[in-house]
Amino acid sequence: MLKRTMALLCAVAALWAAEETVAPLGTYTPVERRYWAFQPRKNVAPPAISDRWIRTPIDAFILAALHKNGLEPAPEADAATLIRRVTYDLTGLPPTPREIDEFLRDRSPQAWEKVVDRLLASPHYGEQWGRHWLDVVRFAESDGYEYDTHRPDAYRYRDYVVDSLNNDKPYDAFVREQLAGDEIDPGNATYLVASGFNRLGPLRKNAGNQDVASSQNEVLSEMTNIVGAAFLGVTVGCARCHDHKFDPFRQSDYYRLQAHFAQTQPNDIVMASQQEQEEWKTKATPIQQEMRKLQAQLRRAPDGEKAKLEMQIEDLDDRMPAPLSSIYSVKDDPGKVTPIRVLFHGDYLNPVSKVGVRPLGILLPDGTPEAPLDTAKPRLSLANWIADPANPLTARTMVNRIWGYHFGRGIVATPNDFGRMGARPSNPELLDWLANRFVEDGWKLKPIHRMILLSSAYRQSSASPIEKLGMEKDADDALLWKFAHRRLEAEEIRDSMLAVAGKLNAAIGGPSFMVPIDPELVLMLKRPQYWVPTRDKSQYDRRTLYMIYKRNLRLPFVEVFDAPDTLLSCARREQSTHAPQALELLNGQTSNELAAVFAERLLKERGTPSERVDYAWRLATGRLPSAGEKALAMSFLAGTPDNPAKVKELALAVFNLNAFLYVN
């Protein structure tokens, strides 16, 4: 009976293959094409308003929208608040007392401009804004899923992002290098590292076998989905299983977009010497041969035996020598082209019709033909289409991200979703004007930053005299009638503790470090033997950006303060407030260890209790303590002012101040 059933299924499959159809190109209605996000950018001019508040063209757009709604901007924030705001904004670190004093003493009209230019030129700028980009592209240094295998050379991509932003690489080049660096110049190491972007997604291991169709389907889906989210600001991934329910993305559009990656294969470019490679091969070959035998058995084994075989494969994998230093990249292999099919409900076992290579149809004229799967440099053609100045989504998406990170909310409040279920732009004219300037200025990010930071809109206070009216008319502050409060993000809190304690190791780039953690956390991992703390303990004091990003193990300190899980693109970090945050700050290992170091600094660098209290507040909050704060601190230190344990408790209390945890 089973043989007859299998024969019937094979016959049906053969019949289907013979009658396989080509997916139609599809058409789009005028209503679908008229949606604002798919329209060409408008050539708008700043509103003709004469007002002393206007410092840059941005202010004219903001003020016109406020007046239209019967609102007024907030007064300018004080100088100490501004330098703390912009220093965190551009570097993710607190300003030093010296930097604050220099700004407060500078009475020249260019004082603020000099601060902005200094910070944009800081190497820490690339670290802070690189971290934002890493959130968007869900960067991690392990595979996720059951095995969560480490990717020891993925850090090179992180360093590429930091260096690119510090050098103000044009964004169109940034896009091309990440999507198709290997196709642009396969001999350029930087481009090869950049194209590791295509391998950033989580990867499910199937008993060590990555060639099975289910794995390849997931890999291609990851590559496709991130293109829509990161570069285009649309949820094209929703069309994997069916036509998009709200936006004009047909299921065939999704798979035509995916077809740009049909030739893409992993490419780990070994950077070791020939002798090192031979030694590695001698150790690894017999293990790999045994693994292949077990994988072949696994495919034929009954369900009751599969678990045992998988355990044997895992044991062999554990015996593999450590991977050689390499560049984690991709390459095209026309001999291994993956057939791309529209899949019924996204199921790789249910292909429906063939497709070729083509970008999203809604942004193309009806009838635009597709290219064959073996077309030369398919990812570069996609990158060129994305980075074309005429593409209505690309520049809008990026300037909206920049705006959102500066103000806490994008002009489009859903940075990864410009579609119908996303938010509409609060100021569409400003969005298009910024996007046009971005392209006209050579796709450079720093001029956009500078224009925003020099504006009156950015310099507003977080307290407004029209608070009640503003909340009634614009509770989300979308029109920017005041500056939003901002709590430090997880990495900023830890980095600030290190900086305030005087312990920050400011080295930039290089391999990520692992810190010692609770053994119970390590034992939760499938392979706990791979969590090996870095031997050089000075590495533990580096910025959190350089701490390994392991998908299945987020450290409690960063997790409790809402760091993303790196499985999906994070366009905007949400901020929660709950009891475990206070418990982590009061009782956690990180805060207590750094409070002790902070106390040592206070005792060493200031002689009297009064001076130490003032110094603690200046380092941590950028200001002197209020009279009430000073009185409480002095009362706490009374009797034993030089006791390190007492000063440590004071330092810990300072780390728990809202004035430390909030920028504004």
Side-chain angles (χ1 to χ4, degrees), residues 346-657:
D347 183 357
Y348 74 98
L349 294 174
N350 286 288
V352 177
S353 53
K354 297 188 296 185
V355 294
V357 176
R358 195 181 77 159
L360 296 177
I362 188 63
L363 298 176
L364 302 171
D366 281 339
T368 300
E370 59 186 20
L373 293 180
D374 60 357
T375 190
K377 300 183 178 181
R379 283 178 282 114
L380 182 56
S381 70
L382 175 63
N384 286 334
W385 174 78
I386 290 172
D388 190 316
N391 189 311
L393 290 170
T394 309
R396 282 175 175 149
T397 299
M398 193 57 191
V399 296
N400 186 66
R401 293 195 195 284
I402 296 171
W403 186 273
Y405 288 127
H406 281 307
F407 289 106
R409 176 191 172 96
I411 298 172
V412 177
T414 49
N416 277 14
D417 187 3
F418 278 34
R420 292 186 180 277
M421 296 305 290
R424 298 298 292 264
S426 59
N427 198 322
E429 293 80 13
L430 174 58
L431 180 64
D432 276 4
W433 185 84
L434 284 170
N436 290 337
R437 284 295 300 267
F438 185 41
V439 174
E440 291 164 6
D441 290 344
W443 298 87
K444 296 291 190 82
L445 271 66
K446 288 188 178 182
I448 297 295
H449 286 300
R450 196 173 188 274
M451 193 185 316
I452 290 172
L453 298 172
L454 295 182
S455 70
S456 293
Y458 183 81
R459 294 188 240 186
Q460 290 182 93
S461 170
S462 295
S464 171
I466 62 162
E467 188 79 23
K468 186 174 183 297
L469 178 64
M471 291 300 294
E472 289 174 355
K473 293 195 171 188
D474 180 25
D476 293 329
D477 194 25
L479 299 175
L480 214 59
W481 47 272
K482 67 173 182 177
F483 200 88
H485 292 283
R486 177 168 93 81
R487 193 184 71 200
L488 298 180
E489 294 179 347
E491 295 89 342
E492 293 172 328
I493 296 174
R494 178 181 177 274
D495 294 352
S496 295
M497 287 179 172
L498 285 165
V500 167
K503 201 179 181 184
L504 179 66
N505 177 348
I508 294 176
S512 299
F513 64 91
M514 287 187 187
V515 295
I517 58 174
D518 190 329
E520 292 182 1
L521 291 175
V522 178
L523 291 175
M524 292 172 62
L525 298 172
K526 187 174 182 67
R527 295 181 175 181
Q529 67 270 30
Y530 288 122
W531 189 272
V532 180
T534 303
R535 290 183 180 180
D536 181 359
K537 294 183 179 180
S538 69
Q539 293 287 306
Y540 303 165
D541 301 328
R542 299 185 69 195
R543 295 192 69 170
T544 313
L545 176 74
Y546 301 114
M547 187 184 293
I548 192 164
Y549 281 59
K550 185 170 174 61
R551 284 195 159 101
N552 286 6
L553 179 58
R554 284 186 294 166
L555 300 188
F557 189 90
V558 297
E559 183 174 22
V560 78
F561 284 104
D562 308 305
D565 63 11
T566 70
L567 290 170
L568 300 172
S569 173
C570 176
R572 177 177 180 267
R573 292 194 186 187
E574 300 301 326
Q575 289 196 339
S576 60
T577 304
H578 48 80
Q581 293 168 343
L583 294 173
E584 182 66 38
L585 287 172
L586 284 170
N587 304 319
Q589 181 179 346
T590 298
S591 54
N592 276 272
E593 287 180 352
L594 291 176
V597 179
F598 187 16
E600 291 175 9
R601 180 180 188 183
L602 296 174
L603 288 165
K604 179 181 178 181
E605 297 184 14
R606 293 295 184 271
T608 69
S610 177
E611 290 173 338
R612 290 168 192 156
V613 170
D614 288 350
Y615 194 40
W617 256 260
R618 290 212 67 202
L619 287 168
T621 72
R623 61 168 174 81
L624 290 169
S626 67
E629 291 168 333
K630 182 73 175 280
L632 283 171
M634 293 300 293
S635 174
F636 177 76
L637 293 175
T640 54
D642 298 326
N643 185 323
K646 204 71 175 287
V647 180
K648 181 256 183 182
E649 290 302 311
L650 174 69
L652 186 62
V654 171
F655 282 158
N656 280 265
L657 291 172

Side-chain angles (χ1 to χ4, degrees), residues 223-477:
M223 291 178 176
T224 309
N225 296 351
I226 196 60
V227 169
F231 297 123
L232 301 173
V234 292
T235 57
V236 68
C238 295
R240 176 186 177 185
C241 301
H242 47 69
D243 288 352
H244 201 293
K245 296 294 186 183
F246 306 103
D247 297 328
F249 306 136
R250 314 293 184 242
Q251 192 182 14
S252 59
D253 285 333
Y254 177 84
Y255 288 99
R256 287 191 173 94
L257 187 62
Q258 187 180 94
H260 290 88
F261 303 96
Q263 299 182 44
T264 306
Q265 298 292 329
N267 185 24
D268 293 335
I269 303 162
V270 178
M271 303 179 71
S273 67
Q274 190 62 39
Q275 180 180 346
E276 290 171 326
Q277 293 183 50
E278 290 298 329
E279 291 173 353
W280 188 92
K281 187 176 180 180
T282 299
K283 295 176 183 177
T285 299
I287 301 174
Q288 291 171 328
Q289 289 173 342
E290 186 63 25
M291 288 176 68
R292 283 193 287 270
K293 291 179 184 177
L294 291 174
Q295 287 165 353
Q297 294 177 32
L298 180 65
R299 286 192 287 271
R300 299 189 299 269
D303 290 343
E305 296 180 15
K306 286 186 176 180
K308 180 181 177 180
L309 289 169
E310 287 175 351
M311 288 290 291
Q312 291 176 347
I313 292 170
E314 286 183 28
D315 290 340
L316 285 170
D317 196 33
D318 290 342
R319 288 166 46 195
M320 284 287 290
L324 296 170
S325 178
S326 64
I327 292 176
Y328 194 70
S329 188
V330 294
K331 64 180 178 181
D332 287 340
D333 188 344
K336 292 185 178 180
V337 176
T338 303
I340 304 297
R341 306 286 191 267
V342 176
L343 304 179
F344 181 72
H345 287 180
D347 183 357
Y348 74 98
L349 294 174
N350 286 288
V352 177
S353 53
K354 297 188 296 185
V355 294
V357 176
R358 195 181 77 159
L360 296 177
I362 188 63
L363 298 176
L364 302 171
D366 281 339
T368 300
E370 59 186 20
L373 293 180
D374 60 357
T375 190
K377 300 183 178 181
R379 283 178 282 114
L380 182 56
S381 70
L382 175 63
N384 286 334
W385 174 78
I386 290 172
D388 190 316
N391 189 311
L393 290 170
T394 309
R396 282 175 175 149
T397 299
M398 193 57 191
V399 296
N400 186 66
R401 293 195 195 284
I402 296 171
W403 186 273
Y405 288 127
H406 281 307
F407 289 106
R409 176 191 172 96
I411 298 172
V412 177
T414 49
N416 277 14
D417 187 3
F418 278 34
R420 292 186 180 277
M421 296 305 290
R424 298 298 292 264
S426 59
N427 198 322
E429 293 80 13
L430 174 58
L431 180 64
D432 276 4
W433 185 84
L434 284 170
N436 290 337
R437 284 295 300 267
F438 185 41
V439 174
E440 291 164 6
D441 290 344
W443 298 87
K444 296 291 190 82
L445 271 66
K446 288 188 178 182
I448 297 295
H449 286 300
R450 196 173 188 274
M451 193 185 316
I452 290 172
L453 298 172
L454 295 182
S455 70
S456 293
Y458 183 81
R459 294 188 240 186
Q460 290 182 93
S461 170
S462 295
S464 171
I466 62 162
E467 188 79 23
K468 186 174 183 297
L469 178 64
M471 291 300 294
E472 289 174 355
K473 293 195 171 188
D474 180 25
D476 293 329
D477 194 25

